[in-house]
Amino acid sequence: MKKIYRTYADTEPTVYATNIDCPYCGSEWQEEGVDKCGNTFVLECEDCEKKFKMDFDAS
């Protein structure tokens, strides 16, 4: 059986997580898939169950 070796130099991120702070209760978490520049995302806090909008920009 053949064998290969990999190190950290062979790795790359495949999923980005955005840090979120709920504007209502201040709860913090990371959300995947909300990293498209110029888009507005509707998120819901799991703690207070309120929905809010988040704009994402590359600034």
Side-chain angles (χ1 to χ4, degrees):
M1 177 183 296
K2 292 184 179 185
K3 187 176 186 178
I4 64 171
Y5 295 91
R6 294 291 181 252
T7 66
Y8 281 110
D10 300 310
T11 63
E12 61 183 75
T14 58
V15 176
Y16 287 101
T18 303
N19 295 326
I20 307 294
D21 298 320
C22 177
Y24 295 103
C25 70
S27 181
E28 299 175 357
W29 72 93
Q30 290 187 327
E31 189 83 26
E32 295 178 359
V34 292
D35 59 348
K36 304 291 184 210
C37 290
N39 286 351
T40 299
F41 299 92
V42 176
L43 303 174
E44 183 173 353
C45 178
E46 291 182 7
D47 290 342
C48 69
E49 299 180 352
K50 292 188 178 184
K51 291 184 179 183
F52 59 93
K53 291 182 180 179
M54 179 196 78
D55 292 328
F56 189 86
D57 195 354
S59 58

